[in-house]
Amino acid sequence: MYMSRIQLRPGAANSPAFWRLLYDGYHVHRQLWTLFAGLDSQSRGFLYRQEQRNTGLMFFTVSDKEPRDERGLWHIETKRYEPKIWTGQRLGFLLRVNPVRSKRDASRKQHRHDLVMEAKRSLKQEGKWEKGRPPEQEIIQREGFAWLTSRSSKNGFSVNENEVRVDGYRQHRWYKPRGGHQVRFSTVEITGRLTVIDPELFKEVLLRGIGHAKGFGCGLLMVRPI
């Protein structure tokens, strides 16, 4: 596996034509895809996180293969990614996720529900929305932490609520150019500290990610020693 830091070269940032290719998350996803497998490949094989830095647009990726830029648009720094993990290890982490819960309707068809929006709907149905409702940040923290803890043990780690912050709730929406199909999902940012309880499971989540919407910049668990 490989971990990479990818930035646009200065000359590429001056091209209006190139920025038209990056105007939404769907097109960002397609541009990154060309660095790893080509648009015709059916296997993604990488996770990524997008950030806006003072130096411009930046991506962090974990991938099966090294990214290769055949157009000279990107500055790429790559190293082998072989995390050394042990039971009881304490790590700081950063994670962007799509906080959803899957449910089946009356016809047994499965649907994904945004946990933050679902919590707000429940408050409205209970008559608590107009009077006595909690601040939105409290809802985001509660639902985001519940999402994380529901997946923590099976991914080899544990967390304490007083060491985790959930914020940055955003809704994303755009249309695919072919067929006009709408892509719609939400994200939250989760930061804090965790404890490794199963090194093998935890290595797998570092390499393969956690949650849904991995193709759109979610699920990459970035960690550091503390």
Side-chain angles (χ1 to χ4, degrees):
M1 299 293 288
Y2 299 88
M3 177 172 280
S4 304
R5 183 168 61 183
I6 303 171
Q7 287 182 284
L8 281 174
R9 293 187 180 278
N14 296 328
S15 168
F18 184 78
W19 283 107
R20 283 196 293 270
L21 298 176
L22 290 176
Y23 74 88
D24 66 23
Y26 178 73
H27 291 81
V28 167
H29 160 81
R30 286 174 64 85
Q31 291 303 308
L32 282 177
W33 198 291
T34 65
L35 300 179
F36 294 98
L39 292 175
D40 295 330
S41 173
Q42 297 301 309
S43 176
R44 175 169 40 83
F46 68 94
L47 300 166
Y48 76 92
R49 176 182 176 86
Q50 177 181 338
E51 292 190 357
Q52 185 67 42
R53 300 289 181 89
N54 291 335
T55 54
L57 193 63
M58 180 179 290
F59 300 95
F60 297 93
T61 67
V62 169
S63 57
D64 294 335
K65 60 180 68 174
E66 290 187 71
R68 299 190 180 279
D69 177 22
E70 298 180 353
R71 297 177 294 173
L73 296 172
W74 303 93
H75 176 65
I76 302 174
E77 301 171 88
T78 300
K79 63 181 180 181
R80 295 285 301 188
Y81 187 42
E82 299 172 343
K84 293 179 174 57
I85 304 297
W86 60 88
T87 301
Q89 186 178 16
R90 295 275 289 159
L91 297 167
F93 73 92
L94 173 64
L95 175 65
R96 179 176 296 143
V97 302
N98 170 219
V100 296
R101 179 184 294 115
S102 296
K103 292 183 178 180
R104 295 188 183 275
D105 59 21
S107 62
R108 304 300 296 165
K109 185 177 181 180
Q110 187 164 276
H111 301 272
R112 293 173 184 168
H113 297 268
D114 180 319
L115 293 184
V116 174
M117 295 302 295
E118 191 174 63
K120 290 181 179 181
R121 282 194 295 270
S122 294
L123 288 170
K124 290 177 181 179
Q125 291 171 357
E126 295 168 6
K128 299 177 181 179
W129 185 249
E130 296 300 330
K131 185 178 180 180
R133 65 179 173 181
E136 183 174 80
Q137 178 53 40
E138 183 178 319
I139 297 172
I140 294 168
Q141 174 72 26
R142 183 183 68 237
E143 298 301 326
F145 183 74
W147 182 96
L148 184 65
T149 53
S150 71
R151 290 157 176 78
S152 59
S153 61
K154 61 186 176 185
N155 284 295
F157 66 95
S158 65
V159 286
N160 294 317
E161 189 166 11
N162 61 357
E163 294 185 316
V164 173
R165 178 174 175 82
V166 186
D167 53 19
Y169 176 73
R170 290 183 59 197
Q171 292 185 334
H172 309 263
R173 184 185 302 177
W174 56 77
Y175 290 89
K176 291 185 177 181
R178 294 181 182 179
H181 175 68
Q182 186 182 71
V183 177
R184 183 177 180 179
F185 65 101
S186 62
T187 57
V188 294
E189 301 288 335
I190 310 180
T191 58
R193 299 181 177 187
L194 59 78
T195 303
V196 177
I197 59 175
D198 187 317
E200 292 307 312
L201 288 177
F202 191 70
K203 282 182 184 179
E204 187 66 19
V205 78
L206 290 178
L207 301 178
R208 302 302 175 190
I210 182 171
H212 296 288
K214 296 186 184 75
F216 297 109
C218 295
L220 174 56
L221 180 62
M222 298 181 67
V223 297
R224 57 176 177 79
I226 54 174

